[in-house]
Amino acid sequence: MQRRNVRQFFVLGGDGTHKGAMQAFTSMTAINHECAVVGVPKTIDNDITLVDQTFGFDTACTEARKAIDSAYVEATTNANCIGLVKLMGRHCGWIAALASIAARNADVCLIPEMSIDLDKLMEYIVEVMKRQKYAVIVVAEGCGDTIISSGKSTDAGGNKVLADVGPFLKDAIAKHLKKLNMPCSIKYIDPTYMIRAVPANAFDSIYCSVLAQMAVHAALAGFTGISVGKVDERYVMLPIHSIVDKGARKVDLHSRVFERLLNTTGQPSFA
């Protein structure tokens, strides 16, 4: 960037991307290259701390709800059927939790923040199937590191490789119900790439436009090493290190969001 005389560097992404932006800012300062480094929080997981919401999250929840609704239709129009949906969320369960609350037809929602006893989960699924002859189950992909022990291997980007919790849970439920001589068919839905690839909805389209304008205003005003975002409903500029140093924002199991989730699904905590 020094060789090409780049004077404004805009970085869009999540926690890892902002760490890279911070490294770029530090490196350019070290070589005395004057360049405005401005970040824009963008992750559908909504796991960036401090900011109210990241753009892409609202669209992801909207599309995820459609997948849950499809699972509900399949489960309720087939005999003894379970609709199982795996949603995104490597480290946190915001999409799974809020999409389940919005859909209001999920019987079980599992997120990475929960300490899940697999035996208690199976007992509850049996109870639901006996009671209503169908079930809708939502699981976040990050549960591949909590329900299953996935080891310590990492991918090229340094992210931990997660075991695929969807097929694992499908097989575990099928085996458990078969052992009890309970007839069951499981319809498994993984809408990951359908959710990732859709155009932004109206809210996210407006939101990301405002964030982009804020980022340009910040750079032209001479700010650097900062990220833009909405905090307590106000658009602000934040030091990048204030975002990357605090780690991922997770669903608090003592929060009203989690209470709403349990009340909506009617499930126990499975701890």
Side-chain angles (χ1 to χ4, degrees):
M1 285 191 283
Q2 184 184 50
R3 187 176 66 251
R4 293 174 178 269
N5 197 32
V6 174
R7 296 289 178 171
Q8 295 175 355
F9 182 40
F10 299 98
V11 184
L12 286 71
D15 182 66
T17 304
H18 275 73
K19 286 179 181 176
M22 194 64 195
Q23 291 171 347
F25 166 70
T26 304
S27 299
M28 285 188 286
T29 302
I31 63 173
N32 201 29
H33 175 56
E34 186 179 308
C35 178
V37 180
V38 183
V40 178
K42 179 209 70 70
T43 166
I44 58 175
D45 288 343
N46 196 38
D47 59 353
I48 294 182
T49 189
L50 294 181
V51 299
D52 294 348
Q53 186 170 311
T54 56
F55 84 80
F57 175 67
D58 194 81
T59 302
C61 285
T62 301
E63 296 302 313
R65 177 185 175 178
K66 294 177 183 178
I68 297 173
D69 287 341
S70 296
Y72 174 78
V73 171
E74 287 291 338
T76 54
T77 55
N78 288 280
N80 304 303
C81 185
I82 294 176
L84 175 61
V85 183
K86 184 184 79 170
L87 296 175
M88 294 88 76
R90 288 183 62 87
H91 307 294
C92 64
W94 287 106
I95 294 177
L98 267 67
S100 295
I101 293 172
R104 307 195 71 79
N105 51 23
D107 299 294
V108 176
C109 178
L110 307 174
I111 59 177
E113 291 85 348
M114 297 168 64
S115 297
I116 300 166
D117 185 306
L118 198 57
D119 292 333
K120 289 184 179 180
L121 173 61
M122 293 301 158
E123 287 175 9
Y124 184 71
I125 292 172
V126 170
E127 178 190 322
V128 172
M129 290 300 291
K130 285 181 178 179
R131 183 174 71 246
Q132 60 187 30
K133 305 300 182 184
Y134 73 88
V136 177
I137 302 171
V138 178
V139 59
E141 64 175 328
C143 290
D145 194 33
T146 55
I147 296 178
I148 318 167
S149 178
S150 55
K152 297 181 179 180
S153 59
T154 57
D155 60 19
N159 298 308
K160 188 173 183 179
V161 176
L162 301 178
D164 196 342
V165 69
F168 169 84
L169 205 55
K170 178 184 177 183
D171 292 342
I173 295 170
K175 288 177 182 177
H176 187 73
L177 294 180
K178 184 177 181 181
K179 190 165 60 177
L180 299 175
N181 293 318
M182 292 180 65
C184 176
S185 64
I186 301 176
K187 311 298 184 183
Y188 176 57
I189 300 173
D190 181 354
T192 300
Y193 291 102
M194 293 175 65
I195 293 174
R196 285 166 59 99
V198 296
N201 64 13
F203 174 86
D204 274 330
S205 184
I206 296 169
Y207 185 34
C208 70
S209 296
V210 176
L211 290 177
Q213 292 160 0
M214 284 287 296
V216 173
H217 288 320
L220 292 177
F223 290 95
T224 185
I226 59 102
S227 187
V228 298
K230 186 186 273 191
V231 178
D232 293 334
E233 292 300 313
R234 291 176 179 268
Y235 288 97
V236 300
M237 292 178 284
L238 299 164
I240 291 179
H241 68 78
S242 68
I243 293 176
V244 301
D245 291 348
K246 293 183 180 296
R249 177 175 61 178
K250 299 189 176 186
V251 178
D252 184 353
L253 299 185
H254 300 287
S255 67
R256 290 189 176 183
V257 171
F258 190 66
E259 285 185 11
R260 290 187 189 109
L261 176 64
L262 297 185
N263 288 328
T264 301
T265 62
Q267 71 185 54
S269 66
F270 302 116

